[in-house]
Amino acid sequence: MKLLLLVTLLGCLATVFAAPLESVKWCVTSDQEYMKCLDLARANAVFACVKRNNALDCIIAIRSGEADAITLDGGDIYTAGLTNYNLQPISAEDYGSSSETCYYAVAVVRKGSGFNINELRGKRSCHTGLGKSAGWNIPIGTLVTMGLINWEGIEDKPLEEAVSEYFLASCVPGAEATSKLCKQCKGDCSRNTREPYYGYAGAFQCLTEDAGDVAFVKHLTVPDAQKADYELLCKDNTRAPIDQYQRCHLARVPAHAIVTRKDTELTEFIHASLEAVKNFDLFSSEGYGAKDLMFKDSTVKLVKVPPNTDTFLYLGAEYVSIVRSLKKEPTSGVSSGAVKWCAVGHDETRKCDTWNINSVSEGTASIECQRAETVENCLEKIMSGEADAMSVDGGQVYTAGKCGLVPVMVEQYDQGLCTNPAGAASYYAVAVVKKDSGVTWENLKGKKSCHTGVGRTAGWNIPMGHIHRQTQDCNFSNFFPSGCAPGSDHNSSFCNICAGSGKAVGDDSKCQANNDERFYGYAGAFRCLAKGEGDVAFVKHTTVQENSDGNGPAWAQDLRSEHYSLICPGKNAPLPITAYESCHLAVVPAHAVVTRPESHNNVVRILKEQQLKFGGSDPDAQFKMFESNPVKNLLFKDSTKCLQEVPPGTSFSQFLGGDYMNAMDSLRVCSDTASDLEKSCSFHSCQQKN
């Protein structure tokens, strides 16, 4: 009987969720918003209104299906994306040419009040709300980072207590009503418009009514008529006029965004419903007795977020790092101080597990392992904090940088340069063909190509950048009608000659961007050429020697390096493999370890310790960081001699260099060359720093 009831219930649920969508239930948090929402519903019957007390209650309502959508700021978007809610941003507010889908978090003070940002201790503060971006996360994170608020984490004291000790008194809507953080509030200190000092306009009102000495708001908050009476506090301890926010701000942060459940049909229905709105101004709160209702009044339009963009991709690593820095928690157990290394596929995971075991000292592991199926999956895990670091090639450093991650250590392939911190860590990107095949750079069109992987430096970005400049054609299949470029769409011609894992049946590894695909990576691309599947392989200058003349895995044992040649633009005839200094496609940056900005010091410290133990050539060592058998180049390139620290503060564009950035920017003229991850991370100009 119970089973029958369960089956019946599941059937009903399936019917409910399969039913066509008829309305968009918008969640609002105040009477004024509810009034505006009802007017919208009268103008466009597809909308319905659901009222809850605050943003968190709306997030819960959307998760349960009681509501469908709400516009949230970055702090609340972060909360909405947590596992227990699992919502996603789908459309961003665009504030016009001044900031587009980003805005500036600023500190506003009365003109001539006579103090700078380093003198805020003992002042009264006005905040938009607890956990809000411009009103809490950014200013408090900035003051903690600058060492102005002394706080070591929640094992020291609650953050709210540290803030209340720093400021004389405050209004932080959403804080404990009996605390100093609510002392300057005008109403009940609730995180909604029942508190007059809630939100941007409320925090500024708190300042104008002399309930505070500083207001933490967005750059568009101060009305034009009042700008002459107020100034901005700059992080360099100076002041600036209100309109100089581009040079004087605390941070540039992602715009407010509409969030909903991870449901493609619902997302498209919400987009279509909003686009169909006529005879109603979504971005005006005039006549409702409050500002910024449902959307910010400064919004010019809504911009669709790229598909599959989750909270971490939308907010960017820098912003997420700020939020995490304000949620410092005690660390304990084996995870304390350990670096969670991200391994791609089965073979890398196996090597990482061996590293993990050998890294144990006094019962504590220095390296822990996370597995993902692709490099981009790993980058997402690093952004979200599920993993900490991995070594990637230059093209992937570019993508990681667009996502807010930073290079912190670089592979050095010249032993002589390991003792010279200024030594350049680089390699040559080359094009290899079989000797006497008749293939040259001039007749390359129409041949079959072997690539290390889509988006990788030597295997894709550099050669395809050359070809694009030569042809001005973004459809590379017109140049190479057949090839193997792991990571391509399975229906692409660049998957035609990929080998997969070699399983007789059920091989789903074909064209996958990991070592389960036999033609993946440097050795894989060369194997593709050696097996006669392709006519040219795009690899690094050491690849042939590492997989011939008795070197390399079993499949390479009978290969001889003299049977292969290099081709390159400007050279009419192939040249020997050893002529890479005169015949190459580019000199490119070495592979680098990437991580989140706040993890720089810990990752560098542990990797330096690990390479002292496992980075040498001791034949009796239980584990070798820079050696992989039988599959090559796992976790690091086998040609690595040491890891060198990238100077702190080095951006991804500085690391890659101007020539490489120019090549990538040229290649990105072809929009299809950017991965979905990169598109998500590049949606805002404020998600990354060049």
Side-chain angles (χ1 to χ4, degrees):
M1 184 65 180
K2 288 182 179 179
L3 179 60
L4 179 61
L5 287 172
L6 178 59
V7 171
T8 303
L9 176 60
L10 290 174
C12 291
L13 287 173
T15 302
V16 169
F17 286 110
L21 297 168
E22 296 179 350
S23 68
V24 175
K25 301 186 290 293
W26 206 274
C27 199
V28 299
T29 60
S30 70
D31 292 337
Q32 296 97 321
E33 275 199 327
Y34 191 61
M35 290 167 56
K36 179 178 177 179
C37 183
L38 289 177
D39 283 347
L40 171 62
R42 279 189 280 270
N44 298 269
V46 72
F47 290 95
C49 307
V50 175
K51 185 171 179 291
R52 293 292 185 269
N53 287 326
N54 50 50
L56 180 58
D57 287 349
C58 276
I59 289 170
I60 294 170
I62 294 170
R63 179 72 185 99
S64 67
E66 297 172 15
D68 296 320
I70 186 176
T71 307
L72 299 175
D73 97 315
D76 290 325
I77 292 171
Y78 178 90
T79 300
L82 296 176
T83 304
N84 43 333
Y85 306 121
N86 202 32
L87 306 185
Q88 68 175 2
I90 62 167
S91 194
E93 295 181 345
D94 186 313
Y95 307 117
S97 59
S98 67
S99 54
E100 299 176 330
T101 58
C102 303
Y103 63 89
Y104 296 88
V106 296
V108 178
V109 293
R110 284 182 290 277
K111 192 171 185 178
S113 50
F115 58 86
N116 289 315
I117 196 168
N118 64 336
E119 300 168 309
L120 282 175
R121 179 178 290 278
K123 301 297 188 293
R124 300 166 301 161
S125 59
C126 305
H127 306 255
T128 60
L130 187 68
K132 293 281 192 177
S133 293
W136 182 263
N137 292 341
I138 297 301
I140 302 307
T142 299
L143 294 173
V144 169
T145 301
M146 293 176 69
L148 298 173
I149 294 180
N150 297 317
W151 185 61
E152 300 300 325
I154 63 171
E155 67 271 25
D156 172 30
K157 65 183 73 171
L159 177 60
E160 289 87 342
E161 182 180 332
V163 175
S164 66
E165 291 173 355
Y166 181 74
F167 291 114
L168 177 66
S170 306
C171 179
V172 185
E176 179 62 42
T178 57
S179 73
K180 283 175 61 181
L181 297 183
C182 286
K183 185 176 180 181
Q184 299 304 103
C185 288
K186 195 171 185 178
D188 62 1
C189 197
S190 59
R191 200 170 179 268
N192 56 48
T193 54
R194 290 198 305 272
E195 168 51 61
Y197 292 166
Y198 170 73
Y200 298 119
F204 181 60
Q205 183 184 348
C206 167
L207 177 64
T208 62
E209 294 182 354
D210 198 27
D213 303 304
V214 59
F216 298 111
V217 291
K218 68 184 290 187
H219 70 288
L220 298 173
T221 301
V222 181
D224 289 342
Q226 295 177 266
K227 286 180 178 179
D229 299 324
Y230 295 90
E231 293 178 308
L232 302 176
L233 295 183
C234 311
K235 289 194 286 187
D236 63 359
N237 290 315
T238 62
R239 289 188 173 205
I242 292 296
D243 284 333
Q244 292 188 15
Y245 53 81
Q246 289 183 322
R247 74 168 182 86
C248 180
H249 56 265
L250 304 182
R252 197 165 182 230
V253 296
H256 293 214
I258 300 169
V259 301
T260 189
R261 295 180 294 281
K262 291 182 178 179
D263 180 327
T264 302
E265 184 181 1
L266 176 59
T267 294
E268 291 305 315
F269 185 65
I270 293 171
H271 284 320
S273 299
L274 288 168
E275 289 169 0
V277 170
K278 308 293 181 187
N279 304 317
F280 186 86
D281 191 347
L282 290 172
F283 314 131
S284 172
S285 302
E286 191 71 31
Y288 297 103
K291 297 281 190 182
D292 301 326
L293 302 177
M294 298 182 67
F295 301 94
K296 300 304 119 189
D297 294 346
S298 53
T299 305
V300 174
K301 62 182 178 180
L302 297 173
V303 180
K304 290 181 182 179
V305 173
N308 304 315
T309 301
D310 65 14
T311 289
F312 301 107
L313 297 181
Y314 180 81
L315 295 176
E318 185 177 18
Y319 183 87
V320 171
S321 294
I322 290 170
V323 175
R324 286 213 181 89
S325 73
L326 299 181
K327 298 178 182 293
K328 292 179 185 174
E329 297 181 356
T331 55
S332 59
V334 296
S335 296
S336 179
V339 169
K340 297 191 289 289
W341 200 265
C342 197
V344 178
H346 172 75
D347 294 321
E348 282 206 341
T349 301
R350 185 172 56 187
K351 180 177 177 180
C352 189
D353 288 341
T354 304
W355 188 9
N356 162 251
I357 293 168
N358 283 274
S359 76
V360 175
S361 177
E362 298 181 356
T364 301
S366 294
I367 298 295
E368 297 175 356
C369 302
Q370 280 282 327
R371 175 176 175 168
E373 293 309 308
T374 67
V375 170
E376 294 205 340
N377 293 154
C378 270
L379 295 180
E380 291 178 21
K381 283 179 177 287
I382 294 171
M383 289 180 69
S384 69
E386 294 177 61
D388 295 319
M390 72 181 306
S391 183
V392 295
D393 100 318
Q396 293 155 344
V397 170
Y398 182 90
T399 298
K402 289 291 185 181
C403 292
L405 304 181
V406 293
V408 294
M409 296 201 86
V410 60
E411 296 178 356
Q412 176 58 263
Y413 310 119
D414 186 332
Q415 185 69 58
L417 294 177
C418 282
T419 55
N420 177 15
S426 59
Y427 63 93
Y428 295 92
V430 297
V432 179
V433 297
K434 287 185 176 180
K435 190 175 182 180
D436 301 326
S437 65
V439 178
T440 68
W441 189 267
E442 298 304 318
N443 65 18
L444 198 55
K445 184 174 182 179
K447 302 298 189 291
K448 295 179 291 183
S449 57
C450 304
H451 306 260
T452 59
V454 173
R456 295 188 58 169
T457 298
W460 186 265
N461 295 339
I462 295 302
M464 302 319 248
H466 272 285
I467 289 167
H468 177 256
R469 285 193 294 274
Q470 179 179 320
T471 65
Q472 298 299 306
D473 186 355
C474 289
N475 185 356
F476 296 117
S477 294
N478 290 334
F479 195 90
F480 291 124
S482 188
C484 179
S488 297
D489 185 277
H490 280 276
N491 297 319
S492 165
S493 63
F494 286 101
C495 284
N496 285 353
I497 63 174
C498 290
S501 66
K503 291 180 181 177
V505 293
D507 187 0
D508 57 2
S509 299
K510 183 173 181 177
C511 208
Q512 288 293 310
N514 61 45
N515 284 292
D516 293 340
E517 163 58 60
R518 288 176 293 171
F519 291 170
Y520 173 72
Y522 297 118
F526 178 54
R527 185 179 188 179
C528 167
L529 172 69
K531 294 292 184 184
E533 298 297 333
D535 302 306
V536 60
F538 298 109
V539 291
K540 66 185 292 187
H541 69 284
T542 60
T543 301
V544 175
Q545 292 93 327
E546 291 167 354
N547 294 277
S548 61
D549 304 329
N551 300 316
W555 62 264
Q557 290 305 299
D558 295 331
L559 302 180
R560 294 292 172 260
S561 60
E562 66 265 23
H563 294 161
Y564 297 88
S565 302
L566 300 179
I567 62 172
C568 53
K571 307 286 185 181
N572 294 325
L575 294 177
I577 288 296
T578 53
Y580 53 82
E581 290 187 10
S582 62
C583 184
H584 56 261
L585 305 183
V587 181
V588 295
H591 292 212
V593 176
V594 295
T595 188
R596 299 179 301 280
E598 77 276 11
S599 300
H600 180 287
N601 293 342
N602 190 52
V603 170
V604 169
R605 177 182 62 82
I606 288 182
L607 285 179
K608 284 182 175 179
E609 292 173 355
Q610 292 298 296
Q611 75 171 344
L612 282 175
K613 296 178 180 178
F614 308 121
S617 55
D618 180 1
D620 297 323
Q622 293 293 310
F623 173 75
K624 296 181 181 180
M625 288 174 65
F626 311 133
E627 184 176 305
S628 311
N629 283 304
V631 180
K632 310 302 288 184
N633 301 317
L634 301 177
L635 305 182
F636 304 95
K637 297 304 121 190
D638 291 351
S639 53
T640 304
K641 304 304 180 186
C642 65
L643 297 175
Q644 294 175 313
E645 182 176 2
V646 176
T650 302
S651 67
F652 78 98
S653 60
Q654 291 170 327
F655 173 80
L656 293 173
D659 289 344
Y660 194 95
M661 290 297 294
N662 289 338
M664 289 300 297
D665 292 342
S666 174
L667 193 59
R668 287 302 182 262
V669 170
C670 305
S671 60
D672 287 346
T673 63
S675 65
D676 288 343
L677 174 63
E678 187 179 317
K679 289 175 182 176
S680 292
C681 289
S682 303
F683 176 68
H684 303 297
S685 57
C686 51
Q687 284 167 307
Q688 70 281 318
K689 293 182 176 180
N690 286 342

